Amino acid sequence: MKGTYLGELEELVLLTVGILYPDAYGVAVMDELKQQASRDLNISAVHAVLTRLEEKGLLKSSMSDPTEERGGRRKRIFIITAAGKRALEEAQELRTQMYRQIPKVALQPIVVGY
Amino acid sequence: MPPRWANRLLEWYCRPELLEEIQGDAHELYYREAKTSKRKADWKFIWNVIRFFRWRNIRKRQYQYVNYSIDMIQNIFKVAFRNFLRHPGHSFLNVIGLGVSFVVALLVGWWALHENSFDRFHENPEQIFEIKSHVNANGTIETYGAARFNINLAALPEVKSKTVLISGTRWPNELCFRPDGKSNECIYLFGIYAEQPFFSIFNFPIVSGNQNPLAEPTHIAISQKMANKLYGDENPIGKIIKIDDHYPVTIASVFKDVPSNSSLQFEFVLPWEVFAKMRGMQPEQFHNQFFPVYFRTSADATVEDLTAKLNSPSILTEDLKKDNVSYSAFALTDARLHGEFKNGKNTSGRIIYVQLFLLVAMLVVAMAVINFVNLTTARASNRAKEIGIRKVTGAQRGSIIFQFMGESFFVVFAAIILAVVTGYLLLPLFNQLVGDTILVTWKKPAVIGYIVLGMLIVAFLAGLYPALVMSRFQAAHVLKGNVVTRSAGAQHLRKILLVVQISFSVGIVIFTGVLFKQLDYIQHKNLGLNKDHIVHIEPTYKLLQKYNTLKAELLKNPQIKSVTATAADPTSINSTTTGVRWPGMTEGMNAPFNVLGATHEVADVFGLNLVDGRFFGENSLDSIHSEVVVSESAVKLMNLDNPLGTLIKIGDVECNIIGVIKDFHSASLKQAQLPIIVYRHPTLQCSRLYVRYEGETTTAISIINDAYKKAEPAFTMKYGFVDDAFAKMYKTETAASKMLMLFTAIAVIIALVGVIGLATYNVIKRKKEIGIKRVFGASSVQLLGLVSKDFVLLILLASAVGMPVAWYSASEWLSGYAYRIDMPWEIFALGFFAILSVTLCLISLQALKTIRTNPTEVLRSE
């Protein structure tokens, strides 16, 4: 397993794969990312992230049954592994934990006036 | 459907195990997009295909286990060597063909490196500049390599030092030196006059004596060669030489011989004060005169920048500006290859010949490589069984490729060795041809580097195609004895290569033809004056004093026809003047004239044609004005209705026009003819003697020499011929034409070898067809037509490519001449028919052999 550090884009893709379960494949992930996060990614970039996540062991994949719409070509369907789920939780936790440590004052809007 | 090529590209580069999902996604996106716009979808698909091209997705070459064991390599070498010996003719053609082309490439490469190395041996050569002055005369700008002697370069902080450099080919640059102890013999040597910083600006190392010889006006610095000529092994330092038998100078230093790649060539350097003395002038009198000026900057500077500064008012004085003079800086390193100026602009120079020959050499090598490829693939079937056996016993494609590439390296290496040895041996001959001493330094890594690099590239290109073709043979097919089926692609390639060869041959033959025709035109053009049978003698002062006695002595002999003295060479009057004024002249008109000072016999010696009036008599008939004769174009320019008796002014001298002569060429045919004024010049101020003779040259020379010795016993006669001097003006062109002639011959021979190769191959392939046609009663002529039809088409196609290129480059070259031939169409026709007939001849010879054999023999086999 390559380092446990999760990049921002990797985290987003991982989340998207989870959302789309059990139909997460390249184009679907790309579309979902655009819709939900307004991220305009090239399909090749999505592929790159997906393979990277698979190499890290956070995703696993299998080929789907052939369908008519892609000229009989199969899709590679991704699903989150246990390690992937843990990585997401850790990232989530880390954020909330750190967010809580910000002093209240710093988040209050500063009023400038008399 | 998405663009086919992009889809194919994807399939080609993509890893097979990833292809399905990647292609699937790409296609899904395409069809979705295509619903709205097909074009946009196409572009997007292409973009995606490009974007998918990532390291992770690329198909990696499958690792082939090729066992290059020592035994295997030994075997490959052994087989290569045996094959080499088994077909000696074929191997010989290959090695010789490549070798000859390499010799061409090597010689041209050496020559180009030599030309390129000119003036770069100085320290920081790019910091040395020459000053050019441009004179706008009536709209056309003439450029001279000179500036005012006292040009105020001190006003430019970046100029470190400057020197005037007086060079030339005649007195006072060519002087008579007396070998030790002999007072009536001369060794003529060339030298220059310069100011003190000369040796610090240029890098001519002083090997012994004073390091700063020009500081004293009574010093001379001489070359090692000159020291050796005059004093042998004796130490020359401190010896006294009398310049012109008059001005004693001390040899202060000896400098290393000037290398042949220097554009300044000289054997001695004298302080310019000596020059002033020899001219009988005070140094101050020089200050306004124009001389070649060189300077060195303390840091790198651009020509544009320096030129701008040279034209600032502190340097380009008001009076010069009034005379339409402007200065420009010119880098010394450009002097050799970029030294041509046209209308004030630096155009080109020798560089076009360097480029031309590099191109020719490259094409010659390319042609030889094409031959190699054709010869090798044409004989592929000979090796088919061997390849089959190798494959059956486990050879993979890679090792077969390796084998044939190796063989190509083997042949190319042999050819290179052959070429380097031959090239080195031929170098002296080649030097003669180009009229230069090419310096070949093996120490320079560049030379070895170019050779090795060239060898690798050529071997790779030559070996690649045959290796790919042969390694593709299927063992099962070839071992069963099936004739190797050749793809249509290979046939086409072969034909294309032949078209390339022939079109190049046609092009270079025609270009060379045009070049020769122009040079022939120059040699035989009626110049308007006679240049044959005229000897030119360098006069000494004493000889000019005794001019009349010398002339009388010479004319005693019937072989000598006439004698004259002039101030310039009538076939190349190098001085133009704009200082001519005539009645009715438009103010501010700055018309350039060529003026020639001469004694009255000049018309007789050079055969000038009088149209109107009279020529000079022995004595002037006009006691007030100076008599002049003008050319027809001068009359036209001055717009004189009745030129005879018209008074014109040249500078401050009032002149009377007494005659009109036909125009003649007083400069190179590259330049347009200028109007000419010939004026009567006192003998003593002349600098050239000309003698016209008849009959045998050697006897004429000995007659002239005898008369010379009688008048000037202390000197050795220095002479030349006017037609030689004229031919020298076209030295570059002549040398280039000789080189081109040689290379043309080589190129054509190589192309013909290619033709023979392909013809043989074709005839062998159609042996059975020919046999069957003969059985059915076809005549030899019909069969010849059958085999040559293809070639005629190829030659037509090649001519259609080669001729326009030849036409274009020839007319570009011709445009450098103000007087030139019309594009000679007969040369195009001649070149075409020559190539066509020679090719058809060779093909017929090859084909006849097959046609003559009894068809039963051909058809019986199998």
Side-chain angles (χ1 to χ4, degrees), chain A residues 25 31 47 55 70 76, chain B residues 20-21 25 28 32 56:
Chain A
Y25 71 101
D31 290 344
H47 271 254
E55 272 168 21
R70 292 154 64 99
R76 185 176 290 276
Chain B
E20 190 172 5
E21 49 184 296
D25 280 0
E28 189 180 335
R32 203 162 72 188
R56 198 191 286 275

Side-chain angles (χ1 to χ4, degrees), chain B residues 116-135:
Chain B
N116 209 33
S117 73
F118 259 74
D119 300 314
R120 290 186 198 273
F121 57 89
H122 300 292
E123 219 169 288
N124 294 332
E126 62 287 348
Q127 293 176 359
I128 307 176
F129 296 88
E130 190 191 344
I131 300 179
K132 299 266 184 198
S133 51
H134 311 275
V135 185

Side-chain angles (χ1 to χ4, degrees), chain A residues 2 25-28 30-31 42-45 47-48 51-52 55 63 69-70 72-76 78, chain B residues 7 11 17-29 31-32 47-48 51-54 56-57:
Chain A
K2 276 184 186 172
Y25 71 101
V27 175
M30 187 181 81
D31 290 344
N42 185 277
I43 182 69
S44 67
H47 271 254
T51 2
R52 202 157 61 228
E55 272 168 21
M63 297 307 276
E69 53 170 344
R70 292 154 64 99
R73 292 186 190 85
R74 293 174 297 169
K75 304 168 180 168
R76 185 176 290 276
F78 290 88
Chain B
N7 199 27
E11 281 168 6
E17 62 268 32
L18 293 182
L19 182 65
E20 190 172 5
E21 49 184 296
I22 287 180
Q23 207 176 21
D25 280 0
H27 278 234
E28 189 180 335
L29 285 173
Y31 287 116
R32 203 162 72 188
W47 177 236
N48 280 340
R51 288 293 300 268
F52 268 120
F53 190 77
R54 293 168 182 237
R56 198 191 286 275
N57 301 339

Side-chain angles (χ1 to χ4, degrees), chain A residues 11-72:
Chain A
E11 194 183 336
L12 278 179
V13 171
L14 205 52
L15 285 168
T16 320
V17 171
I19 295 168
L20 290 172
Y21 179 85
D23 289 322
Y25 71 101
V27 175
V29 171
M30 187 181 81
D31 290 344
E32 193 68 19
L33 273 173
K34 183 160 189 200
Q35 230 175 54
Q36 295 228 15
S38 330
R39 287 296 193 97
D40 218 344
L41 290 175
N42 185 277
I43 182 69
S44 67
V46 176
H47 271 254
V49 177
L50 285 171
T51 2
R52 202 157 61 228
L53 288 172
E54 193 178 5
E55 272 168 21
K56 286 184 179 177
L58 306 181
L59 290 178
K60 65 181 179 185
S61 72
S62 60
M63 297 307 276
S64 71
D65 292 330
T67 54
E68 201 115 316
E69 53 170 344
R70 292 154 64 99

Side-chain angles (χ1 to χ4, degrees), chain B residues 728-742:
Chain B
K728 250 197 187 145
M729 284 199 277
Y730 309 97
K731 214 170 72 186
T732 312
E733 289 85 342
T734 315
S737 71
K738 285 182 194 157
M739 258 165 92
L740 202 60
M741 184 73 168
L742 181 72

Side-chain angles (χ1 to χ4, degrees), chain B residues 209-239:
Chain B
N210 192 335
Q211 287 296 318
N212 189 8
L214 301 179
E216 282 291 321
T218 56
H219 278 173
I220 183 174
I222 65 174
S223 73
Q224 286 174 313
K225 205 181 347 170
M226 176 166 169
N228 197 30
K229 263 189 190 157
L230 295 182
Y231 304 103
D233 293 334
E234 252 181 280
N235 180 14
I237 304 285
K239 297 228 184 234

Side-chain angles (χ1 to χ4, degrees), chain B residues 526-543:
Chain B
N526 185 1
L527 298 175
L529 52 71
N530 170 32
K531 63 177 167 30
D532 300 319
H533 291 106
I534 303 176
V535 183
H536 154 236
I537 302 164
E538 285 292 336
T540 61
Y541 189 71
K542 206 166 147 198
L543 201 68

